Amino acid sequence: MDAVAIRNDLRSGDLGRIVYLHGTLYAAECGWDHTFEAYVAGPLAAFALRENPKEQIWLVETDHKVNGCIAIVESEAESDANAAQLRWFLLHPGLRGRGIGRDLLGQALEFARRVGYRSVYLSTARDLEAAAALYREAGFQLTDEVTHPMWGQLVSEQRYDLVL
């Protein structure tokens, strides 16, 4: 995977590819089952159906197919309209270690600041250590951790928060 392009527009096949990447990569790396794909697919479909100027997705494309992504979406909590959620952050293993993830995270946070969010939060799993290192480097703080059965495994789900 050499030439990398980043785009913000969804095209036919992109949603399926994003769900496929999440399903196959996390099955291989973490042992998660098909229920993780459903966890990704539902909110991703809802995002694709709405037009919200305070939301954006970044798609990493190599060889004319999506091999990574990240998004900023409005918080689902009605109590905090000034909070954004960072979602669907993933890079194909062949793209990792090249600074692409750091760049994507920076672009997403810059967008969140530009559209007026005051904070950003995300959910991740403790096993995803490289991603957590990027979050901490960007200033995110671990604020909660709960271990429970999900996606066919016992997962330690972590919440990270960043005040912008």
Side-chain angles (χ1 to χ4, degrees):
M1 294 186 191
D2 293 318
V4 174
I6 297 175
R7 61 180 167 85
N8 302 109
D9 61 310
L10 285 170
R11 300 175 187 166
S12 296
D14 287 347
L15 298 179
R17 179 71 180 166
I18 292 167
V19 172
Y20 171 81
L21 282 171
H22 277 79
T24 57
L25 293 178
Y26 286 120
E29 295 175 3
C30 301
W32 297 348
D33 67 15
H34 68 282
T35 61
F36 181 67
E37 289 178 69
Y39 170 81
V40 171
L44 183 61
F47 164 80
L49 291 172
R50 61 183 180 255
E51 293 183 25
N52 183 336
K54 292 184 75 173
E55 297 184 327
Q56 186 163 302
I57 194 165
W58 291 258
L59 303 168
V60 179
E61 200 172 58
T62 57
D63 300 323
H64 303 289
K65 72 178 175 183
V66 173
N67 278 306
C69 62
I70 194 170
I72 291 288
V73 300
E74 276 191 310
S75 172
E76 294 176 357
E78 292 179 22
S79 62
D80 196 355
N82 294 314
Q85 184 176 6
L86 183 82
R87 299 206 73 166
W88 312 305
F89 189 21
L90 175 72
L91 279 177
H92 186 281
L95 293 173
R96 296 176 188 162
R98 297 170 50 181
I100 298 167
R102 183 175 285 106
D103 183 49
L104 283 175
L105 182 58
Q107 287 184 47
L109 295 176
E110 175 54 35
F111 172 82
R113 287 181 182 95
R114 190 171 63 248
V115 299
Y117 288 114
R118 294 192 181 139
S119 64
V120 178
Y121 71 93
L122 63 94
S123 292
T124 189
R126 184 187 322 148
D127 293 344
L128 304 177
E129 295 172 5
L134 285 177
Y135 302 141
R136 289 189 300 272
E137 181 182 296
F140 281 88
Q141 300 291 318
L142 178 63
T143 57
D144 193 28
E145 183 169 350
V146 178
T147 301
H148 45 115
M150 58 195 298
W151 312 320
Q153 299 290 321
L154 190 60
V155 177
S156 293
E157 192 174 22
Q158 297 178 323
R159 177 180 167 128
Y160 280 84
D161 286 270
L162 172 68
V163 175
L164 296 175

